Amino acid sequence: MTPEETAERDAFLRATLAGLGQTPKRLPGKYLWDEAGSILFDRICDHPDYYPTRREMALLPQAVSEIATLVGPGATIVEYGSGASRKIRTLLDGLDRPRRYVAIDISRDYLETSVRTLAQDYPEIAMIPVCSDYAEPIRLPVDLADGPVLGFFPGTSIGNLAPAEAEAFLARARDTLGPSHLLVGADPTQDADRLQRVYGGCDGLMPALHLNYIGRLNRELDAGIDRDAFRHEIRILRDPLRVEAHLVAARADTWHLGTDAVHFAAGESVRTDVSHKHSPDVFQALAGRAGWTPKNVWLDPDGLFSLHLLSR
């Protein structure tokens, strides 16, 4: 194991123990995204019930011409949480001769594979992978002061942050990107039945994604957890509206992590992720508090997804 890998493993252990030490227990959602989790999520995005990806992919082509005009030629695009780098292709194709793409993701192997694939298709654009946690301050290996900048935070990732965390992220992005534009996806869906279908099912893919967290704890931290002792459950809560994913203990169990033992009672749960739902006005108010000026919003005809262009 390299020193870098050891540091990442130690950070994973510390963050896991910190979350499990809270009441109620929680796990940092960012660690869902190892290579196995990222592959599962790609499959979820292709599932008919998972509306956010399809609705966003329909809105992006409608927005890109106006975005290109506002941003100008030769831009650097900085994507937060790049994943499989699917959606970025619409921006790379639609902007005026973009010259750099900076892809930020926490899953190193998945990030490097995705960027290599993009580099083959866009040889004229400099591809710069940055393995980092966007929930923390990021120092980019490029000078963004030498041309126009477009930040990109697609999908429903802003919803994985509590409102105060989302505001803090947007403020950090403002500081990182400098004078720039930022394109952010948000999910305003209010329909509880639809949310239950999407986050509770997708033909078992969504439960598999969250149960993979246990697999990752076993693989990387030698936790020895019985995956069958836990089941996936979602909870739709309000004030603010959000969907929480939980792993619920079917029986009493103990997790061994490093030198620590974490005990679960039968029926006790640990939260693995949360997805807040932001209406356009709520999101724009949040962005304004973080120092951004809303420029435009594109809303899905059924109200299931929105794209927000912000400027600084």
Side-chain angles (χ1 to χ4, degrees):
M1 187 178 289
T2 67
E4 190 174 56
E5 290 169 336
T6 299
E8 290 175 359
R9 179 188 183 279
D10 291 345
F12 180 28
L13 176 60
R14 288 194 302 271
T16 299
L17 289 172
L20 292 171
Q22 298 183 44
T23 303
K25 293 180 174 72
R26 62 188 64 189
L27 290 167
K30 63 188 179 184
Y31 289 112
L32 286 165
W33 312 113
D34 64 346
E35 187 171 14
S38 297
I39 290 170
L40 278 166
F41 188 67
D42 281 348
R43 294 176 62 194
I44 288 169
C45 289
D46 290 332
H47 193 277
D49 281 345
Y50 193 77
Y51 62 86
T53 299
R54 291 194 309 280
R55 302 299 175 126
E56 184 176 27
M57 291 298 287
L59 286 177
L60 273 171
Q62 301 174 31
V64 72
S65 177
E66 182 174 345
I67 294 168
T69 299
L70 288 169
V71 172
T76 296
I77 306 172
V78 179
E79 183 175 10
Y80 292 88
S82 56
S85 299
R86 290 182 178 182
K87 300 164 189 173
I88 194 64
R89 291 174 180 269
T90 302
L91 296 181
L92 295 177
D93 291 337
L95 295 188
D96 184 359
R97 290 164 289 147
R99 64 192 184 97
R100 287 188 301 215
Y101 170 53
V102 180
I104 303 170
D105 203 88
I106 199 169
S107 177
R108 183 180 303 277
D109 292 342
Y110 206 63
L111 169 68
E112 291 175 350
T113 299
S114 299
V115 169
R116 278 197 303 270
T117 300
L118 274 179
Q120 294 172 359
D121 295 338
Y122 298 91
E124 73 284 3
I125 300 174
M127 299 287 169
I128 304 166
V130 176
C131 184
S132 187
D133 176 8
Y134 60 67
E136 303 292 338
I138 296 173
R139 174 171 291 184
L140 299 181
V142 293
D143 180 6
L144 297 181
D146 60 356
V149 176
L150 173 65
F152 186 35
F153 195 37
T156 59
S157 296
I158 195 72
N160 298 137
L161 306 172
E165 295 170 337
E167 184 177 333
F169 163 78
L170 290 171
R172 284 194 305 274
R174 181 199 64 203
D175 293 340
T176 298
L177 300 176
S180 59
H181 291 85
L182 177 63
L183 184 64
V184 183
D187 180 359
T189 306
Q190 305 283 312
D191 184 342
D193 289 339
R194 186 185 294 272
L195 294 174
Q196 181 70 45
R197 283 198 309 276
V198 171
Y199 289 92
C202 289
D203 291 330
L205 290 170
M206 196 66 80
L209 171 65
H210 292 272
L211 287 165
N212 178 64
Y213 210 128
I214 291 177
R216 182 172 188 181
L217 291 170
N218 288 339
R219 289 190 298 271
E220 297 185 24
L221 301 181
D222 301 318
I225 304 166
D226 180 3
R227 175 172 162 150
D228 293 336
F230 289 82
R231 61 178 174 82
H232 171 256
E233 176 182 293
I234 69 159
R235 300 168 187 176
I236 299 173
L237 305 171
R238 296 188 179 272
D239 299 323
L241 179 63
R242 63 201 185 276
V243 181
E244 291 188 355
H246 289 255
L247 296 176
V248 183
R251 52 177 169 75
D253 197 38
T254 300
W255 293 8
H256 298 281
L257 298 162
T259 59
D260 290 70
V262 180
H263 303 287
F264 282 82
E268 187 178 5
S269 74
V270 54
R271 195 189 79 185
T272 52
D273 204 17
V274 61
S275 182
H276 291 81
K277 305 304 172 186
H278 298 295
S279 63
D281 58 334
V282 167
F283 176 78
Q284 290 188 349
L286 187 156
R289 292 194 298 272
W292 292 95
T293 300
K295 296 293 289 186
N296 205 348
V297 58
W298 293 267
L299 184 62
D300 172 72
D302 297 320
L304 296 178
F305 200 85
S306 58
L307 278 173
H308 299 262
L309 184 65
L310 314 173
S311 68
R312 174 175 180 252

